[in-house]
Amino acid sequence: MPHRKLSVAVITDPSSWYAEAGIIGGLARALGVGGHRVHLFDRSKLLSLLAAHRESLLGALRRYLERAEVDFVLGCNLNACLVAENRGRLCSLFDAWGFRSVTYVDDLVSGYLRGDGSIRSRIFQVLVGSERNCFAMHREQDATRVRALAGRAFYLPNAFDSLISVPPGEGRVRKVAFVGNVREEGGWRQRALLNLQSLGLDLFGSAGQPAIDRSGLRQSYRGRLEDTRAVYGMYGETRICVDANDEDGVISDRVFQAMGNGCMVVTPHKEELARFFDAGRDVVTYRDPAEIPSLVRHYLERDSEREKIARSGCRRVRADHTYLERARDLVARWREVKSVGARRRVAHSAQVETAGGKVPFAGAVPLEPFAEGVNDA
Protein backbone atom coordinates (compact mmCIF):
# COMPACT_ATOMS: atom_id res chain seq x y z
CA MET A 1 0.00 0.00 0.00
CA PRO A 2 1.55 3.34 -1.01
CA HIS A 3 2.37 5.87 1.68
CA ARG A 4 0.39 9.07 1.81
CA LYS A 5 2.07 12.35 0.99
CA LEU A 6 3.31 14.47 3.87
CA SER A 7 2.60 18.04 4.93
CA VAL A 8 5.88 19.83 5.74
CA ALA A 9 6.54 23.33 7.07
CA VAL A 10 9.90 24.51 5.72
CA ILE A 11 11.72 27.33 7.51
CA THR A 12 14.00 29.15 5.08
CA ASP A 13 16.26 32.16 5.47
CA PRO A 14 16.48 34.26 2.29
CA SER A 15 19.38 36.24 3.76
CA SER A 16 21.46 33.13 4.45
CA TRP A 17 24.01 32.03 1.89
CA TYR A 18 24.02 28.49 3.23
CA ALA A 19 20.32 27.88 3.74
CA GLU A 20 19.25 29.13 0.31
CA ALA A 21 22.20 27.85 -1.72
CA GLY A 22 22.30 24.57 0.16
CA ILE A 23 20.27 21.74 1.43
CA ILE A 24 17.08 23.38 2.76
CA GLY A 25 16.17 25.13 -0.49
CA GLY A 26 16.95 22.00 -2.49
CA LEU A 27 14.93 19.76 -0.21
CA ALA A 28 11.97 22.16 -0.24
CA ARG A 29 11.83 22.18 -4.03
CA ALA A 30 12.28 18.42 -4.25
CA LEU A 31 9.61 17.67 -1.64
CA GLY A 32 7.14 19.85 -3.53
CA VAL A 33 7.88 18.23 -6.86
CA GLY A 34 7.48 14.86 -5.14
CA GLY A 35 3.87 15.74 -4.36
CA HIS A 36 4.25 16.60 -0.68
CA ARG A 37 2.54 19.73 0.63
CA VAL A 38 5.24 22.31 1.37
CA HIS A 39 4.52 25.38 3.50
CA LEU A 40 7.26 27.99 3.21
CA PHE A 41 8.09 30.40 6.05
CA ASP A 42 10.71 33.12 6.36
CA ARG A 43 12.84 32.41 9.42
CA SER A 44 13.84 36.05 9.99
CA LYS A 45 10.16 37.06 10.18
CA LEU A 46 9.35 34.29 12.61
CA LEU A 47 12.28 35.33 14.78
CA SER A 48 11.06 38.92 14.75
CA LEU A 49 7.69 37.70 16.05
CA LEU A 50 9.42 35.85 18.87
CA ALA A 51 11.58 38.85 19.75
CA ALA A 52 8.56 41.17 19.79
CA HIS A 53 6.37 38.65 21.64
CA ARG A 54 3.64 39.04 19.02
CA GLU A 55 1.41 36.52 20.72
CA SER A 56 -1.64 37.07 18.52
CA LEU A 57 0.35 36.47 15.34
CA LEU A 58 2.14 33.48 16.84
CA GLY A 59 -1.27 32.11 17.73
CA ALA A 60 -2.37 32.59 14.13
CA LEU A 61 0.74 30.72 12.99
CA ARG A 62 -0.04 27.85 15.33
CA ARG A 63 -3.65 27.61 14.17
CA TYR A 64 -2.50 27.66 10.56
CA LEU A 65 -0.04 24.81 11.11
CA GLU A 66 -2.72 22.83 12.93
CA ARG A 67 -5.18 23.29 10.07
CA ALA A 68 -2.46 22.27 7.63
CA GLU A 69 -1.90 19.09 9.70
CA VAL A 70 1.84 19.53 9.45
CA ASP A 71 3.75 16.29 9.93
CA PHE A 72 7.05 17.96 10.69
CA VAL A 73 8.91 21.25 10.52
CA LEU A 74 12.10 21.25 8.44
CA GLY A 75 14.84 23.81 8.88
CA CYS A 76 18.57 24.37 9.14
CA ASN A 77 20.09 24.89 12.60
CA LEU A 78 16.71 25.97 13.99
CA ASN A 79 18.01 25.17 17.46
CA ALA A 80 20.67 27.88 17.31
CA CYS A 81 18.25 30.76 16.75
CA LEU A 82 18.38 32.60 20.05
CA VAL A 83 16.40 35.80 20.41
CA ALA A 84 14.87 37.84 23.23
CA GLU A 85 17.63 37.06 25.75
CA ASN A 86 17.83 33.37 24.84
CA ARG A 87 14.11 32.86 25.48
CA GLY A 88 12.83 32.12 22.01
CA ARG A 89 14.03 29.21 19.93
CA LEU A 90 12.17 28.12 16.87
CA CYS A 91 12.61 24.43 17.58
CA SER A 92 11.43 24.88 21.15
CA LEU A 93 8.44 26.88 19.93
CA PHE A 94 7.28 24.12 17.59
CA ASP A 95 8.04 21.51 20.23
CA ALA A 96 5.88 23.34 22.78
CA TRP A 97 3.04 23.41 20.26
CA GLY A 98 3.30 19.66 19.78
CA PHE A 99 4.84 19.65 16.29
CA ARG A 100 7.67 17.35 15.39
CA SER A 101 10.72 18.76 13.64
CA VAL A 102 13.59 17.60 11.46
CA THR A 103 16.49 19.95 12.00
CA TYR A 104 19.45 19.84 9.64
CA VAL A 105 22.41 20.52 11.93
CA ASP A 106 26.14 20.78 11.39
CA ASP A 107 28.30 22.85 13.74
CA LEU A 108 25.62 22.86 16.44
CA VAL A 109 26.16 19.23 17.36
CA SER A 110 29.96 19.35 17.46
CA GLY A 111 30.19 21.12 20.81
CA TYR A 112 27.64 18.76 22.31
CA LEU A 113 29.63 15.71 21.24
CA ARG A 114 32.82 17.28 22.58
CA GLY A 115 31.08 18.15 25.85
CA ASP A 116 32.39 21.72 25.76
CA GLY A 117 29.50 23.19 27.79
CA SER A 118 28.82 25.96 25.26
CA ILE A 119 25.36 27.51 24.84
CA ARG A 120 24.95 25.59 21.58
CA SER A 121 25.91 22.39 23.35
CA ARG A 122 23.34 23.01 26.09
CA ILE A 123 20.60 23.80 23.57
CA PHE A 124 21.31 20.59 21.69
CA GLN A 125 21.24 18.62 24.94
CA VAL A 126 17.75 19.94 25.66
CA LEU A 127 16.53 19.12 22.16
CA VAL A 128 17.96 15.62 22.22
CA GLY A 129 15.82 15.06 25.29
CA SER A 130 12.61 15.84 23.40
CA GLU A 131 11.02 12.95 21.56
CA ARG A 132 9.55 15.34 18.99
CA ASN A 133 12.91 16.43 17.56
CA CYS A 134 14.78 14.50 14.90
CA PHE A 135 18.16 15.42 13.44
CA ALA A 136 19.57 15.19 9.93
CA MET A 137 23.35 15.56 9.70
CA HIS A 138 25.84 16.00 6.89
CA ARG A 139 28.57 14.18 8.86
CA GLU A 140 27.85 10.45 9.14
CA GLN A 141 29.88 9.86 12.28
CA ASP A 142 27.91 12.58 14.09
CA ALA A 143 24.63 11.00 13.04
CA THR A 144 25.83 7.64 14.32
CA ARG A 145 26.82 9.06 17.70
CA VAL A 146 23.63 11.06 18.19
CA ARG A 147 21.53 8.09 17.07
CA ALA A 148 23.19 6.02 19.80
CA LEU A 149 22.14 8.67 22.33
CA ALA A 150 18.67 9.57 21.11
CA GLY A 151 17.77 7.16 18.31
CA ARG A 152 16.47 9.99 16.13
CA ALA A 153 19.33 11.03 13.86
CA PHE A 154 20.27 10.14 10.31
CA TYR A 155 22.85 10.99 7.68
CA LEU A 156 21.73 13.33 4.91
CA PRO A 157 24.64 14.51 2.74
CA ASN A 158 24.77 17.51 0.43
CA ALA A 159 23.62 17.18 -3.18
CA PHE A 160 22.99 18.94 -6.50
CA ASP A 161 19.74 20.83 -7.10
CA SER A 162 18.63 19.59 -10.52
CA LEU A 163 15.44 21.67 -10.34
CA ILE A 164 17.40 24.88 -10.89
CA SER A 165 18.14 25.61 -14.52
CA VAL A 166 20.43 28.35 -15.76
CA PRO A 167 20.74 29.68 -19.32
CA PRO A 168 23.84 28.57 -21.23
CA GLY A 169 26.77 30.91 -20.70
CA GLU A 170 29.55 31.93 -23.01
CA GLY A 171 31.57 28.77 -22.51
CA ARG A 172 34.19 27.98 -19.89
CA VAL A 173 35.55 31.50 -19.74
CA ARG A 174 36.74 31.26 -16.11
CA LYS A 175 39.86 29.25 -15.38
CA VAL A 176 39.57 28.41 -11.70
CA ALA A 177 37.10 29.49 -9.02
CA PHE A 178 36.50 29.19 -5.31
CA VAL A 179 33.18 30.03 -3.59
CA GLY A 180 33.32 30.58 0.14
CA ASN A 181 34.83 32.73 2.85
CA VAL A 182 38.49 33.20 3.61
CA ARG A 183 38.81 31.91 7.13
CA GLU A 184 41.50 32.72 9.67
CA GLU A 185 44.23 35.04 8.50
CA GLY A 186 47.31 33.06 7.53
CA GLY A 187 45.37 29.79 7.45
CA TRP A 188 45.94 27.05 4.91
CA ARG A 189 42.92 28.05 2.81
CA GLN A 190 44.25 31.59 2.43
CA ARG A 191 47.71 30.27 1.48
CA ALA A 192 46.25 27.87 -1.08
CA LEU A 193 44.14 30.60 -2.70
CA LEU A 194 47.08 33.03 -2.80
CA ASN A 195 49.03 30.44 -4.75
CA LEU A 196 46.22 30.25 -7.32
CA GLN A 197 46.10 33.96 -8.13
CA SER A 198 48.73 33.65 -10.85
CA LEU A 199 46.58 30.95 -12.50
CA GLY A 200 43.55 33.21 -12.88
CA LEU A 201 41.64 32.61 -9.64
CA ASP A 202 38.13 34.07 -9.33
CA LEU A 203 37.12 34.26 -5.66
CA PHE A 204 33.48 34.67 -4.59
CA GLY A 205 32.26 35.04 -1.03
CA SER A 206 30.58 37.19 1.55
CA ALA A 207 33.63 38.48 3.40
CA GLY A 208 33.79 42.24 3.88
CA GLN A 209 36.38 44.42 2.22
CA PRO A 210 38.77 44.68 5.24
CA ALA A 211 38.98 40.88 5.52
CA ILE A 212 39.67 40.55 1.80
CA ASP A 213 42.29 43.29 1.90
CA ARG A 214 44.06 41.65 4.83
CA SER A 215 44.08 38.32 3.03
CA GLY A 216 45.99 39.67 0.03
CA LEU A 217 43.29 38.32 -2.30
CA ARG A 218 41.74 41.63 -3.38
CA GLN A 219 42.82 41.22 -7.02
CA SER A 220 40.93 37.92 -7.27
CA TYR A 221 37.80 38.88 -5.33
CA ARG A 222 34.71 39.12 -7.54
CA GLY A 223 32.08 39.81 -4.87
CA ARG A 224 29.17 37.83 -3.50
CA LEU A 225 26.94 35.52 -5.52
CA GLU A 226 23.48 36.39 -4.27
CA ASP A 227 21.52 33.21 -4.93
CA THR A 228 21.72 29.62 -6.06
CA ARG A 229 21.10 30.45 -9.68
CA ALA A 230 24.09 32.81 -9.69
CA VAL A 231 26.28 30.14 -8.10
CA TYR A 232 25.22 27.56 -10.67
CA GLY A 233 25.67 30.00 -13.54
CA MET A 234 29.20 30.79 -12.41
CA TYR A 235 30.12 27.11 -12.22
CA GLY A 236 28.65 26.62 -15.68
CA GLU A 237 31.30 28.92 -17.13
CA THR A 238 34.24 27.70 -15.01
CA ARG A 239 36.80 25.04 -15.93
CA ILE A 240 38.02 24.07 -12.45
CA CYS A 241 36.47 24.48 -8.99
CA VAL A 242 38.85 24.26 -6.05
CA ASP A 243 37.24 22.81 -2.92
CA ALA A 244 39.48 24.17 -0.16
CA ASN A 245 37.61 22.34 2.57
CA ASP A 246 39.09 20.82 5.72
CA GLU A 247 35.93 19.55 7.41
CA ASP A 248 36.40 15.94 8.45
CA GLY A 249 33.77 13.58 7.10
CA VAL A 250 31.96 16.20 5.00
CA ILE A 251 31.69 16.34 1.23
CA SER A 252 30.95 20.03 0.76
CA ASP A 253 28.03 21.43 -1.21
CA ARG A 254 30.40 23.14 -3.67
CA VAL A 255 31.57 19.70 -4.87
CA PHE A 256 28.04 18.69 -5.94
CA GLN A 257 27.13 22.14 -7.26
CA ALA A 258 30.22 22.45 -9.44
CA MET A 259 30.17 18.89 -10.75
CA GLY A 260 26.49 19.06 -11.56
CA ASN A 261 27.21 22.07 -13.75
CA GLY A 262 29.99 20.37 -15.67
CA CYS A 263 32.92 21.93 -13.80
CA MET A 264 35.88 19.73 -12.84
CA VAL A 265 36.50 19.68 -9.09
CA VAL A 266 39.75 19.48 -7.12
CA THR A 267 38.89 18.37 -3.58
CA PRO A 268 40.66 16.90 -0.50
CA HIS A 269 41.14 13.15 -0.34
CA LYS A 270 38.68 11.72 2.19
CA GLU A 271 37.56 8.18 2.89
CA GLU A 272 33.92 9.30 2.58
CA LEU A 273 34.48 10.50 -0.98
CA ALA A 274 34.68 6.92 -2.29
CA ARG A 275 31.01 6.25 -1.53
CA PHE A 276 30.05 9.11 -3.86
CA PHE A 277 32.70 9.34 -6.59
CA ASP A 278 35.67 7.61 -8.18
CA ALA A 279 38.81 9.67 -7.66
CA GLY A 280 40.65 10.24 -10.93
CA ARG A 281 37.56 9.50 -13.00
CA ASP A 282 34.84 11.75 -11.52
CA VAL A 283 36.92 14.11 -9.42
CA VAL A 284 40.57 15.05 -8.75
CA THR A 285 41.86 14.79 -5.16
CA TYR A 286 44.80 16.15 -3.17
CA ARG A 287 46.29 14.99 0.12
CA ASP A 288 48.29 18.15 0.81
CA PRO A 289 47.07 21.68 -0.02
CA ALA A 290 50.52 22.36 -1.47
CA GLU A 291 49.52 20.08 -4.37
CA ILE A 292 46.61 22.30 -5.44
CA PRO A 293 48.48 24.78 -7.72
CA SER A 294 50.29 22.04 -9.65
CA LEU A 295 47.06 20.05 -10.11
CA VAL A 296 45.19 23.12 -11.34
CA ARG A 297 48.01 24.03 -13.72
CA HIS A 298 48.14 20.45 -15.04
CA TYR A 299 44.45 20.30 -15.91
CA LEU A 300 44.29 23.83 -17.29
CA GLU A 301 46.95 22.79 -19.79
CA ARG A 302 45.20 19.52 -20.73
CA ASP A 303 41.70 20.29 -21.94
CA SER A 304 40.76 16.77 -23.01
CA GLU A 305 41.72 15.21 -19.65
CA ARG A 306 39.89 17.90 -17.71
CA GLU A 307 36.75 17.75 -19.84
CA LYS A 308 36.62 13.94 -19.61
CA ILE A 309 36.68 14.08 -15.79
CA ALA A 310 34.15 16.92 -15.74
CA ARG A 311 31.71 14.99 -17.95
CA SER A 312 32.03 11.85 -15.84
CA GLY A 313 31.48 13.76 -12.60
CA CYS A 314 28.50 15.61 -14.02
CA ARG A 315 26.82 12.37 -15.13
CA ARG A 316 27.44 10.78 -11.73
CA VAL A 317 26.02 13.70 -9.75
CA ARG A 318 22.94 14.13 -11.91
CA ALA A 319 22.20 10.40 -11.82
CA ASP A 320 22.79 9.65 -8.14
CA HIS A 321 23.20 12.77 -6.02
CA THR A 322 20.37 15.25 -6.50
CA TYR A 323 18.02 16.70 -3.92
CA LEU A 324 15.25 14.65 -5.50
CA GLU A 325 17.12 11.60 -4.22
CA ARG A 326 17.86 13.24 -0.86
CA ALA A 327 14.22 14.22 -0.38
CA ARG A 328 13.16 10.60 -0.93
CA ASP A 329 15.76 9.55 1.63
CA LEU A 330 14.52 12.20 4.07
CA VAL A 331 10.92 11.02 3.84
CA ALA A 332 11.94 7.36 4.14
CA ARG A 333 14.11 8.02 7.18
CA TRP A 334 11.40 10.16 8.74
CA ARG A 335 8.95 7.29 8.43
CA GLU A 336 11.51 5.02 10.07
CA VAL A 337 12.26 7.18 13.10
CA LYS A 338 8.71 8.42 13.65
CA SER A 339 5.68 6.65 12.31
CA VAL A 340 3.24 9.13 10.88
CA GLY A 341 -0.45 8.50 11.47
CA ALA A 342 -2.65 8.36 8.40
CA ARG A 343 -4.48 11.66 8.36
CA ARG A 344 -6.69 13.13 5.75
CA ARG A 345 -5.11 15.71 3.50
CA VAL A 346 -6.86 18.37 1.49
CA ALA A 347 -5.12 18.31 -1.87
CA HIS A 348 -4.42 21.54 -3.55
CA SER A 349 -1.49 22.88 -5.53
CA ALA A 350 0.22 26.16 -6.17
CA GLN A 351 3.12 27.54 -8.16
CA VAL A 352 6.24 28.92 -6.54
CA GLU A 353 8.75 30.86 -8.57
CA THR A 354 12.28 29.52 -8.30
CA ALA A 355 15.50 30.43 -10.02
CA GLY A 356 14.84 28.11 -12.94
CA GLY A 357 11.32 29.28 -13.67
CA LYS A 358 8.06 27.94 -12.26
CA VAL A 359 8.39 24.73 -10.25
CA PRO A 360 5.16 23.06 -9.04
CA PHE A 361 4.85 22.82 -5.28
CA ALA A 362 1.90 20.76 -4.08
CA GLY A 363 0.51 23.02 -1.42
CA ALA A 364 3.15 25.75 -1.24
CA VAL A 365 1.23 28.42 0.64
CA PRO A 366 1.69 32.07 1.58
CA LEU A 367 1.85 33.33 5.14
CA GLU A 368 -1.83 34.24 5.35
CA PRO A 369 -3.75 35.01 7.48
CA PHE A 370 -0.86 36.63 9.37
CA ALA A 371 1.33 37.78 6.45
CA GLU A 372 0.69 41.46 7.06
CA GLY A 373 1.70 41.32 10.69
CA VAL A 374 4.76 39.20 9.95
CA ASN A 375 5.95 41.66 7.35
CA ASP A 376 5.45 44.57 9.74
CA ALA A 377 7.22 42.96 12.67
Side-chain angles (χ1 to χ4, degrees), residues 67-95:
R67 289 198 304 271
E69 295 184 296
V70 167
D71 290 297
F72 65 87
V73 180
L74 172 67
C76 179
N77 275 349
L78 295 181
N79 324 327
C81 300
L82 302 179
V83 295
E85 299 178 347
N86 295 345
R87 292 181 60 191
R89 308 182 196 110
L90 287 180
C91 246
S92 295
L93 175 70
F94 297 126
D95 182 79

Side-chain angles (χ1 to χ4, degrees), residues 138-139 158 243 245 247-253 270 272:
H138 70 177
R139 187 180 283 108
N158 290 303
D243 178 35
N245 167 37
E247 291 184 270
D248 290 338
V250 176
I251 310 303
S252 76
D253 55 350
K270 299 178 180 180
E272 294 81 7

Side-chain angles (χ1 to χ4, degrees), residues 77 79-82 106-112 116-127:
N77 275 349
N79 324 327
C81 300
L82 302 179
D106 40 32
D107 58 326
L108 185 67
V109 69
S110 302
Y112 173 75
D116 62 7
S118 65
I119 181 64
R120 288 179 170 231
S121 174
R122 295 198 299 273
I123 294 168
F124 193 80
Q125 185 173 12
V126 170
L127 292 166

Side-chain angles (χ1 to χ4, degrees), residues 25-48:
L27 286 171
R29 282 181 281 272
L31 285 168
V33 168
H36 302 283
R37 295 185 62 204
V38 176
H39 311 266
L40 299 174
F41 298 93
D42 185 319
R43 184 172 72 176
S44 63
K45 294 175 181 177
L46 295 181
L47 287 173
S48 69

